[in-house]
Amino acid sequence: MIRSALGNPMEQPLDSKDKTMNYGLSHEQDACPISAETRDGAGWWKRKWHFIIVPQHSNALVAVFSALLFLTTVVYTIFAASQWSEMKKATQASQRSAIAARDSADLARKQMEGIVAAIVDIPGGVSIDFPVPPFGEARANLINSGHVLAHDIHLALSVTIRKTNEDLAAVRRTILSKAETVPAIPPTTSTTRPDFIYPFELTQSEFTQVMNTESYIIAEGLLDYENGFDSRIKQPFCYAYVWGGQVFGRWTGDCGRAQSQIHLAKKLAKQ
């Protein structure tokens, strides 16, 4: 009777056990409707992915991205062209500045060169004389009338005898040919370089023709020097020598005037 009243102490009432099991099942059933995808946002991406994989939607997206890519390319191209234009302008400005500076320096140099450069000349030209006929001599000297030292001076001289008859103008004979080199000539107002004296010889017949205005003498050549500013100066020259009678005498001058003087000498000789 007592066991029956107290029951089995190791056994629990069925109602208590059922309640516990029912509570666990009820809790699990309440949690199932909230999916993990919904909690972490994966469901949103899944819906978007299903939207994208639809052919009509994917084509539209490709078109949109293509348009965006095109617009980006256009914007970049415009930006790059603008940058290139600015760089080109800057380069051109630098070039113009460099050219202006160079031109200014060249102008200053030319102005200075024009004021103080060496000026080498043959004062009085080349002198032709017959100290002991028919033997003659050509004489020349050099002078630097500038303000700086002249360097590497070259003098080339050729003396010829020519017929005064116009029909025989091509007939000539070289009676002297010389070349001189002077390392340097300082600036001075007077001649410091000794005369160049070059003897030559005519035949007696040639000397008579020169004195009777049947022939005349030409001295021509080139004077070449560096003017102190790394510029080579070349000065060609040509002098003519015409002899006539007592009325005409002797004339020396530029070769271009020789024929007119020859006509004058012959005309005076006939008077």
Side-chain angles (χ1 to χ4, degrees):
M1 292 293 292
I2 295 171
R3 181 174 180 175
S4 175
L6 295 176
N8 190 355
M10 299 300 295
E11 294 180 357
Q12 295 181 359
L14 294 173
D15 293 342
S16 175
K17 185 176 181 181
D18 292 342
K19 287 180 180 180
T20 302
M21 294 177 65
N22 290 337
Y23 175 78
L25 292 172
S26 175
H27 180 73
E28 289 178 358
Q29 289 175 356
D30 292 341
C32 285
I34 303 174
S35 65
E37 293 179 348
T38 303
R39 287 199 304 270
D40 59 11
W44 183 85
W45 287 106
K46 188 173 182 180
R47 290 194 301 272
K48 296 300 180 184
W49 173 250
H50 285 298
F51 177 83
I52 292 173
I53 62 177
V54 176
Q56 294 83 351
H57 297 165
S58 62
N59 291 337
L61 288 174
V62 170
V64 170
F65 282 115
S66 298
L68 290 175
L69 180 60
F70 173 76
L71 291 176
T72 303
T73 304
V74 170
V75 171
Y76 175 77
T77 302
I78 294 173
F79 175 77
S82 177
Q83 291 294 102
W84 180 83
S85 178
E86 292 299 324
M87 292 176 61
K88 182 178 180 181
K89 290 179 181 178
T91 302
Q92 290 175 345
S94 299
Q95 290 176 346
R96 286 193 295 268
S97 298
I99 293 173
R102 183 194 62 190
D103 292 343
S104 178
D106 289 343
L107 179 60
R109 180 180 179 278
K110 288 180 180 179
Q111 290 175 341
M112 182 63 67
E113 183 177 350
I115 295 172
V116 302
I119 303 174
V120 180
D121 199 3
I122 307 174
V126 180
S127 174
I128 299 292
D129 294 298
F130 292 93
V132 183
F135 298 95
E137 66 180 19
R139 184 187 296 262
N141 53 48
L142 303 177
I143 185 173
N144 177 8
S145 59
H147 295 82
V148 297
L149 196 68
H151 301 276
D152 196 24
I153 301 96
H154 299 282
L155 174 65
L157 174 64
S158 177
V159 179
T160 60
I161 181 172
R162 308 184 184 188
K163 292 286 188 177
T164 58
N165 190 327
E166 293 181 357
D167 295 335
L168 300 176
V171 178
R172 65 183 66 182
R173 183 175 76 88
T174 300
I175 57 179
L176 175 65
S177 181
K178 290 290 182 178
E180 294 284 352
T181 298
V182 181
I185 299 178
T188 180
T189 56
S190 60
T191 302
T192 58
R193 174 71 193 184
D195 287 351
F196 296 114
I197 302 175
Y198 307 117
F200 63 87
E201 180 181 359
L202 298 180
T203 66
Q204 187 61 49
S205 174
E206 288 174 334
F207 177 74
T208 301
Q209 291 173 3
V210 168
M211 294 297 108
N212 294 333
T213 324
E214 296 176 1
S215 296
Y216 69 109
I217 294 176
I218 290 288
E220 58 188 336
L222 177 67
L223 178 62
D224 178 13
Y225 63 95
E226 191 268 308
N227 69 349
F229 287 83
D230 296 326
S231 296
R232 298 296 304 181
I233 307 299
K234 299 180 182 295
Q235 297 180 180
F237 59 86
C238 185
Y239 303 103
Y241 309 86
V242 179
W243 282 262
Q246 293 182 350
V247 178
F248 180 82
R250 170 184 165 173
W251 176 86
T252 300
D254 184 79
C255 291
R257 299 175 54 197
Q259 289 301 322
S260 62
Q261 295 300 316
I262 289 171
H263 289 312
L264 178 60
K266 289 184 175 181
K267 180 179 179 181
L268 293 175
K270 294 178 180 179
Q271 295 180 353

